[in-house]
Amino acid sequence: MDWVTCAYSAACIGVASRPSGFCLAHLTPEHLGAALGAIAPGRLLDLRGTTVSSDLLSRVLRAAGDRPGRARFDRVTFTGDVRLSGVTFTGDVSLDGARFERLASFFGARFEGNVSLADARFARELSFHGVTVRGHISLDRAVMARDALFSQAVFGHGLSGERARFDGFAAFDGARLGGGAFFRSARFGRTLSFRKVTGHAGFDAAHFAADAYLSATGRLSAARARADGLLDVAVTRCGVDLRGLHVAGAATVRLTDSQADLEGAVLRGPATVTGRGASAITSLRQVKAPDLGLRGLDLSACRFAGLADPTGVRVKECTFALTPRGMRVSLRWPMLRWLVRRRTPAGEQPMRALAGPGASGHPGSRAGTATGTPAGTPAGTATVFAYATAALRADTAALTPTGTPTGTPTGTPTGAIAGAAAVFAYAAAGPRRRAGRRPWALAWHVLRAGGATVRGPLPAAIAAVLSAARPGGRSPR
């Protein structure tokens, strides 16, 4: 402690007043009256380490004219209710390590500076409803054992709650966060209501033990967060970072003129993402979601590589990227190709770039050349099939110590594997569905997607594809 403690006993850590050497809690009535008479509005108010009752707090604030200046309440123990309605603190307020044994109500109070409640402990309810803090408020490592209310509060320079613990209900509805609110590694034991909040919000690595309702403007981040119950996210004109999010219950994300990134998210319950206006998803890579619905979204730039359960994705009224159109000239047969524009996932676009300028424009037309094997030969086609099989079966848990998927041919470039996977996932799967029971059309589309040409042992290649297309046959995955 950086102050002179009370001389009453070694157990009392209250700051000593002059000239008695005792804290306010241990002063005689005569000395207490003199100490209170020395307090003036706008002046420093120092009660560090003191045990303060409701009566003593009221007398101190009354002596300061309900307008204290700089207030130092570090490690103060408030044994009674704390009610600060109508009090204006004209300077910074420090309550680090303070203990509130009963109700702590800051309703109706105003803080002209910063407020620090780091490491504070609230045994009962905490209310900041409608409070205005012109500076920054800190709740880092604070513990709120009961409900915490911050609705309609105004924080001019934001709020921080790193590693804070909210054991009861927490409500921030309608709060205005000038510098944003950040709850990195915080824990919310019961329902969190963060609706209609204005400003940035960050819940990185936070733990929602119950239902959570989140909103923000500008930016909302819940990367690597964990939700044991329902998660509801509603944002407007906002960038949403949900990478690595883990939700055990239902998940709902509603976007309005916003963008969301769900790369690596694990959504075990039913999940829906809907959009209004210019709303988009930028990535669904490595997402694990057995039941995911997408509606009204721009998916033209969305990456789907590594989507764990694509059969569980339902897409409605969404926009995909457009393929190139027009005439392409190639040294391969046929030399002239006329491309018709169609919509396709964005993951197919980089594979088209492998062909380079002047190529056919079909994905995978030169995928074999990326590995050093001519794609126009049977060996090249077989190599592409090998890469695609290895890539599509690879998973994070199946990586070898060197980072190469198990079963990958020796010397295989990582880019070639991903490229081949995209080629067969996007270029062959579509024709396979369209071909239906017409295996000859399927054979032609698959051979074109793999970069095969109409030369070499063509009958054998077609026979192999037809065999895989028969009912009961197995096609490369």
Side-chain angles (χ1 to χ4, degrees), residues 37-126:
I39 298 176
R43 301 289 297 276
L44 172 66
L45 181 57
D46 190 355
L47 296 177
R48 288 175 292 176
T50 305
T51 300
V52 179
S53 64
S54 296
D55 179 67
L56 179 58
L57 179 62
S58 298
R59 296 180 65 181
V60 169
L61 294 177
R62 190 161 51 247
D66 288 335
R67 289 186 61 85
R70 171 80 168 94
R72 306 191 67 179
F73 296 149
D74 304 287
R75 301 187 64 177
V76 169
T77 298
F78 296 95
T79 58
D81 292 346
V82 176
R83 301 178 185 273
L84 298 178
S85 178
V87 179
T88 299
F89 292 87
T90 60
D92 293 341
V93 178
S94 176
L95 285 152
D96 295 344
R99 300 293 186 270
F100 295 82
E101 297 181 354
R102 296 182 63 84
L103 171 69
S105 176
F106 296 84
F107 172 74
R110 182 179 179 86
F111 299 86
E112 299 293 335
N114 302 310
V115 179
S116 179
L117 287 160
D119 297 299
R121 298 292 186 271
F122 298 88
R124 301 291 293 271
E125 291 77 8
L126 166 64

Side-chain angles (χ1 to χ4, degrees), residues 93 130 163 168 190 226 288 294 302 311 347 354 357 373 404-405 421 451 461:
V93 178
R163 288 185 289 165
R190 304 190 70 176
R226 179 160 62 96
K288 296 181 181 179
L294 307 176
C302 183
T311 60
L354 292 175
T373 305
T404 304

Side-chain angles (χ1 to χ4, degrees), residues 32-381:
L32 178 58
L36 294 176
I39 298 176
R43 301 289 297 276
L44 172 66
L45 181 57
D46 190 355
L47 296 177
R48 288 175 292 176
T50 305
T51 300
V52 179
S53 64
S54 296
D55 179 67
L56 179 58
L57 179 62
S58 298
R59 296 180 65 181
V60 169
L61 294 177
R62 190 161 51 247
D66 288 335
R67 289 186 61 85
R70 171 80 168 94
R72 306 191 67 179
F73 296 149
D74 304 287
R75 301 187 64 177
V76 169
T77 298
F78 296 95
T79 58
D81 292 346
V82 176
R83 301 178 185 273
L84 298 178
S85 178
V87 179
T88 299
F89 292 87
T90 60
D92 293 341
V93 178
S94 176
L95 285 152
D96 295 344
R99 300 293 186 270
F100 295 82
E101 297 181 354
R102 296 182 63 84
L103 171 69
S105 176
F106 296 84
F107 172 74
R110 182 179 179 86
F111 299 86
E112 299 293 335
N114 302 310
V115 179
S116 179
L117 287 160
D119 297 299
R121 298 292 186 271
F122 298 88
R124 301 291 293 271
E125 291 77 8
L126 166 64
S127 176
F128 261 85
H129 177 79
V131 174
T132 298
V133 179
R134 297 190 63 180
H136 177 269
I137 180 171
S138 172
L139 289 169
D140 296 340
R141 301 173 302 279
V143 176
M144 283 131 285
R146 298 287 186 89
D147 299 347
L149 185 62
F150 295 85
S151 302
Q152 307 299 325
V154 179
F155 304 119
H157 290 275
L159 177 151
S160 64
E162 183 172 350
R163 288 185 289 165
R165 199 177 83 198
F166 298 82
D167 293 339
F169 293 101
F172 292 81
D173 298 342
R176 288 184 286 171
L177 312 171
F182 302 96
F183 298 92
R184 183 180 181 86
S185 300
R187 185 185 187 278
F188 298 88
R190 304 190 70 176
T191 301
L192 167 64
S193 183
F194 208 81
R195 298 181 175 97
K196 298 181 180 179
V197 174
T198 303
H200 307 305
F203 296 91
D204 293 347
H207 179 202
F208 306 105
D211 298 345
Y213 301 86
L214 308 180
S215 69
T217 58
R219 180 118 185 121
L220 171 64
S221 177
R224 303 178 307 282
R226 179 160 62 96
D228 296 340
L230 175 147
L231 178 65
D232 186 289
V233 179
V235 296
T236 301
R237 294 183 294 279
C238 184
V240 183
D241 184 358
L242 301 177
R243 292 176 297 175
L245 173 69
H246 191 292
V247 183
T252 303
V253 180
R254 294 188 294 273
L255 307 175
T256 301
D257 297 322
S258 305
Q259 290 187 343
D261 186 349
L262 282 82
E263 181 170 342
V266 179
L267 310 174
R268 300 196 179 279
T272 59
V273 183
T274 59
R276 291 183 177 180
S279 297
I281 292 182
T282 58
S283 178
L284 288 172
R285 292 170 52 115
Q286 308 298 328
V287 170
K288 296 181 181 179
D291 185 1
L292 175 60
L294 307 176
R295 180 169 183 174
L297 297 165
D298 180 3
L299 302 178
S300 60
C302 183
R303 305 297 179 180
F304 292 89
L307 187 62
D309 194 354
T311 60
V313 179
R314 307 179 311 280
V315 181
K316 186 175 182 180
E317 300 175 6
C318 293
T319 302
F320 289 91
L322 293 173
T323 60
R325 66 177 177 179
M327 187 175 65
R328 295 292 186 273
V329 180
S330 174
L331 297 178
R332 299 179 181 274
W333 180 263
M335 299 181 66
L336 295 179
R337 296 175 184 263
W338 184 263
L339 303 181
V340 178
R341 174 162 289 185
R342 62 185 177 86
R343 298 193 179 277
T344 180
E348 184 177 334
Q349 307 303 319
M351 298 306 103
R352 298 180 177 276
L354 292 175
S360 64
H362 285 268
S365 60
R366 295 181 63 180
T369 62
T371 67
T373 305
T377 64
T381 303

